[in-house]
PDB file of all heavy atoms in Angstrom:
ATOM      1  N   THR A   1     125.046 -61.420  69.311  1.00 92.00           N
ATOM      2  CA  THR A   1     125.141 -60.574  70.452  1.00 92.00           C
ATOM      3  C   THR A   1     125.477 -59.150  70.061  1.00 92.00           C
ATOM      4  O   THR A   1     124.812 -58.223  70.590  1.00 92.00           O
ATOM      5  CB  THR A   1     126.149 -61.093  71.396  1.00 92.00           C
ATOM      6  OG1 THR A   1     125.834 -62.411  71.813  1.00 92.00           O
ATOM      7  CG2 THR A   1     126.157 -60.266  72.733  1.00 92.00           C
ATOM      8  N   LEU A   2     126.322 -58.971  69.147  1.00 92.00           N
ATOM      9  CA  LEU A   2     126.741 -57.645  68.754  1.00 92.00           C
ATOM     10  C   LEU A   2     125.748 -56.909  67.814  1.00 92.00           C
ATOM     11  O   LEU A   2     125.634 -55.677  67.805  1.00 92.00           O
ATOM     12  CB  LEU A   2     128.057 -57.643  68.005  1.00 92.00           C
ATOM     13  CG  LEU A   2     129.315 -57.992  68.868  1.00 92.00           C
ATOM     14  CD1 LEU A   2     130.610 -58.025  67.980  1.00 92.00           C
ATOM     15  CD2 LEU A   2     129.448 -56.993  69.911  1.00 92.00           C
ATOM     16  N   LEU A   3     124.930 -57.654  67.117  1.00 91.00           N
ATOM     17  CA  LEU A   3     123.987 -57.012  66.117  1.00 91.00           C
ATOM     18  C   LEU A   3     122.942 -56.102  66.764  1.00 91.00           C
ATOM     19  O   LEU A   3     122.921 -54.934  66.382  1.00 91.00           O
ATOM     20  CB  LEU A   3     123.173 -58.167  65.387  1.00 91.00           C
ATOM     21  CG  LEU A   3     122.183 -57.669  64.374  1.00 91.00           C
ATOM     22  CD1 LEU A   3     122.836 -56.808  63.252  1.00 91.00           C
ATOM     23  CD2 LEU A   3     121.474 -58.903  63.613  1.00 91.00           C
ATOM     24  N   PRO A   4     122.230 -56.503  67.865  1.00 91.00           N
ATOM     25  CA  PRO A   4     121.261 -55.473  68.387  1.00 91.00           C
ATOM     26  C   PRO A   4     122.022 -54.388  69.079  1.00 91.00           C
ATOM     27  O   PRO A   4     121.563 -53.250  69.138  1.00 91.00           O
ATOM     28  CB  PRO A   4     120.472 -56.349  69.419  1.00 91.00           C
ATOM     29  CG  PRO A   4     121.354 -57.558  69.699  1.00 91.00           C
ATOM     30  CD  PRO A   4     122.081 -57.840  68.440  1.00 91.00           C
ATOM     31  N   LEU A   5     123.189 -54.642  69.636  1.00 90.00           N
ATOM     32  CA  LEU A   5     123.962 -53.476  70.265  1.00 90.00           C
ATOM     33  C   LEU A   5     124.361 -52.479  69.225  1.00 90.00           C
ATOM     34  O   LEU A   5     124.290 -51.245  69.465  1.00 90.00           O
ATOM     35  CB  LEU A   5     125.112 -54.059  71.032  1.00 90.00           C
ATOM     36  CG  LEU A   5     124.866 -55.012  72.193  1.00 90.00           C
ATOM     37  CD1 LEU A   5     126.250 -55.503  72.760  1.00 90.00           C
ATOM     38  CD2 LEU A   5     124.081 -54.287  73.238  1.00 90.00           C
ATOM     39  N   THR A   6     124.828 -53.005  68.030  1.00 91.00           N
ATOM     40  CA  THR A   6     125.233 -52.122  66.994  1.00 91.00           C
ATOM     41  C   THR A   6     124.078 -51.298  66.434  1.00 91.00           C
ATOM     42  O   THR A   6     124.214 -50.065  66.245  1.00 91.00           O
ATOM     43  CB  THR A   6     125.897 -52.884  65.875  1.00 91.00           C
ATOM     44  OG1 THR A   6     126.939 -53.728  66.353  1.00 91.00           O
ATOM     45  CG2 THR A   6     126.442 -51.956  64.845  1.00 91.00           C
ATOM     46  N   VAL A   7     122.970 -51.950  66.277  1.00 90.00           N
ATOM     47  CA  VAL A   7     121.730 -51.243  65.848  1.00 90.00           C
ATOM     48  C   VAL A   7     121.348 -50.177  66.797  1.00 90.00           C
ATOM     49  O   VAL A   7     120.927 -49.065  66.431  1.00 90.00           O
ATOM     50  CB  VAL A   7     120.609 -52.227  65.559  1.00 90.00           C
ATOM     51  CG1 VAL A   7     119.297 -51.569  65.244  1.00 90.00           C
ATOM     52  CG2 VAL A   7     120.972 -53.163  64.420  1.00 90.00           C
ATOM     53  N   SER A   8     121.365 -50.472  68.080  1.00 89.00           N
ATOM     54  CA  SER A   8     121.001 -49.472  69.141  1.00 89.00           C
ATOM     55  C   SER A   8     121.924 -48.278  69.120  1.00 89.00           C
ATOM     56  O   SER A   8     121.439 -47.146  69.305  1.00 89.00           O
ATOM     57  CB  SER A   8     121.024 -50.168  70.525  1.00 89.00           C
ATOM     58  OG  SER A   8     120.723 -49.226  71.436  1.00 89.00           O
ATOM     59  N   VAL A   9     123.254 -48.538  69.029  1.00 89.00           N
ATOM     60  CA  VAL A   9     124.171 -47.411  69.034  1.00 89.00           C
ATOM     61  C   VAL A   9     123.971 -46.566  67.763  1.00 89.00           C
ATOM     62  O   VAL A   9     124.035 -45.313  67.858  1.00 89.00           O
ATOM     63  CB  VAL A   9     125.662 -47.953  69.076  1.00 89.00           C
ATOM     64  CG1 VAL A   9     126.595 -46.874  68.780  1.00 89.00           C
ATOM     65  CG2 VAL A   9     125.911 -48.519  70.428  1.00 89.00           C
ATOM     66  N   ALA A  10     123.762 -47.175  66.593  1.00 89.00           N
ATOM     67  CA  ALA A  10     123.508 -46.413  65.367  1.00 89.00           C
ATOM     68  C   ALA A  10     122.242 -45.527  65.469  1.00 89.00           C
ATOM     69  O   ALA A  10     122.163 -44.394  65.015  1.00 89.00           O
ATOM     70  CB  ALA A  10     123.448 -47.431  64.142  1.00 89.00           C
ATOM     71  N   HIS A  11     121.139 -46.152  66.098  1.00 87.00           N
ATOM     72  CA  HIS A  11     119.920 -45.342  66.246  1.00 87.00           C
ATOM     73  C   HIS A  11     120.159 -44.204  67.135  1.00 87.00           C
ATOM     74  O   HIS A  11     119.651 -43.098  66.866  1.00 87.00           O
ATOM     75  CB  HIS A  11     118.839 -46.285  66.902  1.00 87.00           C
ATOM     76  CG  HIS A  11     117.591 -45.667  67.066  1.00 87.00           C
ATOM     77  ND1 HIS A  11     117.214 -44.974  68.191  1.00 87.00           N
ATOM     78  CD2 HIS A  11     116.471 -45.484  66.279  1.00 87.00           C
ATOM     79  CE1 HIS A  11     115.977 -44.462  68.137  1.00 87.00           C
ATOM     80  NE2 HIS A  11     115.516 -44.793  66.925  1.00 87.00           N
ATOM     81  N   ASP A  12     120.952 -44.340  68.189  1.00 87.00           N
ATOM     82  CA  ASP A  12     121.210 -43.166  69.110  1.00 87.00           C
ATOM     83  C   ASP A  12     122.065 -42.130  68.369  1.00 87.00           C
ATOM     84  O   ASP A  12     121.848 -40.948  68.612  1.00 87.00           O
ATOM     85  CB  ASP A  12     121.945 -43.679  70.358  1.00 87.00           C
ATOM     86  CG  ASP A  12     121.879 -42.723  71.491  1.00 87.00           C
ATOM     87  OD1 ASP A  12     121.045 -41.739  71.343  1.00 87.00           O
ATOM     88  OD2 ASP A  12     122.657 -42.882  72.415  1.00 87.00           O
ATOM     89  N   ILE A  13     123.033 -42.508  67.496  1.00 87.00           N
ATOM     90  CA  ILE A  13     123.866 -41.555  66.857  1.00 87.00           C
ATOM     91  C   ILE A  13     123.001 -40.763  65.903  1.00 87.00           C
ATOM     92  O   ILE A  13     123.059 -39.462  65.807  1.00 87.00           O
ATOM     93  CB  ILE A  13     125.009 -42.337  66.182  1.00 87.00           C
ATOM     94  CG1 ILE A  13     125.975 -42.795  67.140  1.00 87.00           C
ATOM     95  CG2 ILE A  13     125.640 -41.326  65.198  1.00 87.00           C
ATOM     96  CD1 ILE A  13     127.083 -43.702  66.546  1.00 87.00           C
ATOM     97  N   ILE A  14     122.098 -41.484  65.162  1.00 85.00           N
ATOM     98  CA  ILE A  14     121.291 -40.743  64.178  1.00 85.00           C
ATOM     99  C   ILE A  14     120.284 -39.742  64.915  1.00 85.00           C
ATOM    100  O   ILE A  14     120.047 -38.595  64.486  1.00 85.00           O
ATOM    101  CB  ILE A  14     120.476 -41.765  63.355  1.00 85.00           C
ATOM    102  CG1 ILE A  14     121.473 -42.522  62.399  1.00 85.00           C
ATOM    103  CG2 ILE A  14     119.372 -41.037  62.451  1.00 85.00           C
ATOM    104  CD1 ILE A  14     120.864 -43.633  61.698  1.00 85.00           C
ATOM    105  N   ARG A  15     119.757 -40.182  66.022  1.00 83.00           N
ATOM    106  CA  ARG A  15     118.860 -39.359  66.804  1.00 83.00           C
ATOM    107  C   ARG A  15     119.630 -38.107  67.378  1.00 83.00           C
ATOM    108  O   ARG A  15     118.996 -37.015  67.294  1.00 83.00           O
ATOM    109  CB  ARG A  15     118.186 -40.136  67.924  1.00 83.00           C
ATOM    110  CG  ARG A  15     117.137 -39.400  68.625  1.00 83.00           C
ATOM    111  CD  ARG A  15     116.620 -40.247  69.831  1.00 83.00           C
ATOM    112  NE  ARG A  15     117.576 -40.571  70.835  1.00 83.00           N
ATOM    113  CZ  ARG A  15     117.966 -39.778  71.728  1.00 83.00           C
ATOM    114  NH1 ARG A  15     117.305 -38.615  71.887  1.00 83.00           N
ATOM    115  NH2 ARG A  15     118.897 -40.104  72.666  1.00 83.00           N
ATOM    116  N   ARG A  16     120.781 -38.276  67.764  1.00 83.00           N
ATOM    117  CA  ARG A  16     121.550 -37.168  68.258  1.00 83.00           C
ATOM    118  C   ARG A  16     121.836 -36.137  67.144  1.00 83.00           C
ATOM    119  O   ARG A  16     121.884 -34.966  67.310  1.00 83.00           O
ATOM    120  CB  ARG A  16     122.819 -37.603  68.925  1.00 83.00           C
ATOM    121  CG  ARG A  16     122.676 -38.351  70.290  1.00 83.00           C
ATOM    122  CD  ARG A  16     122.386 -37.420  71.353  1.00 83.00           C
ATOM    123  NE  ARG A  16     123.564 -36.590  71.635  1.00 83.00           N
ATOM    124  CZ  ARG A  16     123.701 -35.669  72.606  1.00 83.00           C
ATOM    125  NH1 ARG A  16     122.628 -35.409  73.295  1.00 83.00           N
ATOM    126  NH2 ARG A  16     124.783 -34.977  72.790  1.00 83.00           N
ATOM    127  N   ILE A  17     122.114 -36.675  65.887  1.00 82.00           N
ATOM    128  CA  ILE A  17     122.466 -35.735  64.835  1.00 82.00           C
ATOM    129  C   ILE A  17     121.290 -34.968  64.366  1.00 82.00           C
ATOM    130  O   ILE A  17     121.364 -33.710  64.179  1.00 82.00           O
ATOM    131  CB  ILE A  17     123.050 -36.544  63.596  1.00 82.00           C
ATOM    132  CG1 ILE A  17     124.407 -37.067  63.996  1.00 82.00           C
ATOM    133  CG2 ILE A  17     123.105 -35.689  62.416  1.00 82.00           C
ATOM    134  CD1 ILE A  17     124.959 -38.052  62.968  1.00 82.00           C
ATOM    135  N   ILE A  18     120.082 -35.530  64.369  1.00 78.00           N
ATOM    136  CA  ILE A  18     118.883 -34.797  63.883  1.00 78.00           C
ATOM    137  C   ILE A  18     118.209 -34.002  64.974  1.00 78.00           C
ATOM    138  O   ILE A  18     117.324 -33.160  64.693  1.00 78.00           O
ATOM    139  CB  ILE A  18     117.884 -35.802  63.327  1.00 78.00           C
ATOM    140  CG1 ILE A  18     117.243 -36.621  64.359  1.00 78.00           C
ATOM    141  CG2 ILE A  18     118.432 -36.652  62.191  1.00 78.00           C
ATOM    142  CD1 ILE A  18     116.070 -37.447  63.933  1.00 78.00           C
ATOM    143  N   GLN A  19     118.644 -34.120  66.189  1.00 70.00           N
ATOM    144  CA  GLN A  19     117.992 -33.407  67.279  1.00 70.00           C
ATOM    145  C   GLN A  19     118.921 -32.237  67.686  1.00 70.00           C
ATOM    146  O   GLN A  19     120.024 -32.387  68.081  1.00 70.00           O
ATOM    147  CB  GLN A  19     117.777 -34.353  68.516  1.00 70.00           C
ATOM    148  CG  GLN A  19     117.119 -33.638  69.604  1.00 70.00           C
ATOM    149  CD  GLN A  19     116.853 -34.644  70.764  1.00 70.00           C
ATOM    150  OE1 GLN A  19     117.077 -35.815  70.708  1.00 70.00           O
ATOM    151  NE2 GLN A  19     116.388 -34.035  71.878  1.00 70.00           N
ATOM    152  N   SER A  20     118.303 -31.003  67.783  1.00 56.00           N
ATOM    153  CA  SER A  20     118.985 -29.821  68.248  1.00 56.00           C
ATOM    154  C   SER A  20     118.599 -29.561  69.730  1.00 56.00           C
ATOM    155  O   SER A  20     117.729 -30.218  70.263  1.00 56.00           O
ATOM    156  CB  SER A  20     118.735 -28.698  67.376  1.00 56.00           C
ATOM    157  OG  SER A  20     117.270 -28.341  67.514  1.00 56.00           O
ATOM    158  N   ASP A  21     119.225 -28.564  70.283  1.00 51.00           N
ATOM    159  CA  ASP A  21     118.891 -28.250  71.672  1.00 51.00           C
ATOM    160  C   ASP A  21     117.526 -27.706  71.832  1.00 51.00           C
ATOM    161  O   ASP A  21     116.829 -27.912  72.773  1.00 51.00           O
ATOM    162  CB  ASP A  21     119.838 -27.098  72.215  1.00 51.00           C
ATOM    163  CG  ASP A  21     121.246 -27.716  72.291  1.00 51.00           C
ATOM    164  OD1 ASP A  21     121.414 -28.930  72.425  1.00 51.00           O
ATOM    165  OD2 ASP A  21     122.235 -26.917  72.249  1.00 51.00           O
ATOM    166  N   GLU A  22     116.937 -26.961  70.754  1.00 44.00           N
ATOM    167  CA  GLU A  22     115.663 -26.548  70.834  1.00 44.00           C
ATOM    168  C   GLU A  22     114.659 -27.542  70.378  1.00 44.00           C
ATOM    169  O   GLU A  22     113.403 -27.255  70.347  1.00 44.00           O
ATOM    170  CB  GLU A  22     115.502 -25.242  69.871  1.00 44.00           C
ATOM    171  CG  GLU A  22     116.264 -24.029  70.379  1.00 44.00           C
ATOM    172  CD  GLU A  22     117.745 -24.181  69.989  1.00 44.00           C
ATOM    173  OE1 GLU A  22     118.008 -25.028  69.172  1.00 44.00           O
ATOM    174  OE2 GLU A  22     118.535 -23.454  70.539  1.00 44.00           O
ATOM    175  N   LYS A  23     115.073 -28.613  69.941  1.00 47.00           N
ATOM    176  CA  LYS A  23     114.155 -29.729  69.468  1.00 47.00           C
ATOM    177  C   LYS A  23     113.344 -29.300  68.299  1.00 47.00           C
ATOM    178  O   LYS A  23     112.181 -29.740  68.083  1.00 47.00           O
ATOM    179  CB  LYS A  23     113.327 -30.320  70.578  1.00 47.00           C
ATOM    180  CG  LYS A  23     114.129 -30.961  71.769  1.00 47.00           C
ATOM    181  CD  LYS A  23     113.201 -31.536  72.796  1.00 47.00           C
ATOM    182  CE  LYS A  23     113.984 -32.199  73.887  1.00 47.00           C
ATOM    183  NZ  LYS A  23     113.197 -32.720  74.845  1.00 47.00           N
ATOM    184  N   GLN A  24     113.985 -28.490  67.393  1.00 47.00           N
ATOM    185  CA  GLN A  24     113.157 -28.087  66.207  1.00 47.00           C
ATOM    186  C   GLN A  24     113.304 -29.174  65.201  1.00 47.00           C
ATOM    187  O   GLN A  24     112.345 -29.367  64.411  1.00 47.00           O
ATOM    188  CB  GLN A  24     113.708 -26.794  65.718  1.00 47.00           C
ATOM    189  CG  GLN A  24     113.531 -25.655  66.697  1.00 47.00           C
ATOM    190  CD  GLN A  24     114.140 -24.298  66.201  1.00 47.00           C
ATOM    191  OE1 GLN A  24     114.857 -24.268  65.163  1.00 47.00           O
ATOM    192  NE2 GLN A  24     113.900 -23.208  66.929  1.00 47.00           N
ATOM    193  N   ALA A  25     114.418 -29.808  65.117  1.00 44.00           N
ATOM    194  CA  ALA A  25     114.619 -30.776  63.998  1.00 44.00           C
ATOM    195  C   ALA A  25     113.732 -31.990  64.170  1.00 44.00           C
ATOM    196  O   ALA A  25     113.142 -32.542  63.205  1.00 44.00           O
ATOM    197  CB  ALA A  25     116.023 -31.291  63.935  1.00 44.00           C
ATOM    198  N   THR A  26     113.441 -32.402  65.450  1.00 50.00           N
ATOM    199  CA  THR A  26     112.576 -33.579  65.706  1.00 50.00           C
ATOM    200  C   THR A  26     111.221 -33.310  65.283  1.00 50.00           C
ATOM    201  O   THR A  26     110.397 -34.131  65.056  1.00 50.00           O
ATOM    202  CB  THR A  26     112.668 -34.048  67.130  1.00 50.00           C
ATOM    203  OG1 THR A  26     112.390 -32.914  68.001  1.00 50.00           O
ATOM    204  CG2 THR A  26     114.097 -34.502  67.391  1.00 50.00           C
ATOM    205  N   GLU A  27     110.760 -31.992  65.262  1.00 52.00           N
ATOM    206  CA  GLU A  27     109.376 -31.669  64.928  1.00 52.00           C
ATOM    207  C   GLU A  27     109.187 -31.586  63.391  1.00 52.00           C
ATOM    208  O   GLU A  27     108.051 -31.415  62.937  1.00 52.00           O
ATOM    209  CB  GLU A  27     108.971 -30.337  65.563  1.00 52.00           C
ATOM    210  CG  GLU A  27     109.055 -30.396  67.096  1.00 52.00           C
ATOM    211  CD  GLU A  27     108.752 -29.118  67.716  1.00 52.00           C
ATOM    212  OE1 GLU A  27     108.521 -28.153  66.892  1.00 52.00           O
ATOM    213  OE2 GLU A  27     108.697 -28.984  68.903  1.00 52.00           O
ATOM    214  N   ASP A  28     110.251 -31.619  62.563  1.00 61.00           N
ATOM    215  CA  ASP A  28     110.100 -31.560  61.159  1.00 61.00           C
ATOM    216  C   ASP A  28     109.827 -32.981  60.596  1.00 61.00           C
ATOM    217  O   ASP A  28     110.640 -33.893  60.677  1.00 61.00           O
ATOM    218  CB  ASP A  28     111.428 -30.964  60.543  1.00 61.00           C
ATOM    219  CG  ASP A  28     111.287 -30.738  59.105  1.00 61.00           C
ATOM    220  OD1 ASP A  28     110.292 -31.165  58.484  1.00 61.00           O
ATOM    221  OD2 ASP A  28     112.164 -30.015  58.576  1.00 61.00           O
TER     222      ASP A  28
END
């Protein structure tokens, strides 16, 4: 039960780190 929840939270954390307000990082 905890495995997919942990993977989802980790994915969201990584996406928030690489994404800026101008969304320039996601285009790189």
Side-chain angles (χ1 to χ4, degrees):
T1 304
L2 290 179
L3 180 60
L5 298 178
T6 307
V7 172
S8 177
V9 171
H11 181 270
D12 197 14
I13 291 174
I14 294 174
R15 188 180 62 84
R16 290 280 295 180
I17 290 177
I18 68 171
Q19 180 180 356
S20 62
D21 294 337
E22 296 80 14
K23 297 185 179 180
Q24 296 176 352
T26 55
E27 298 177 0
D28 190 347

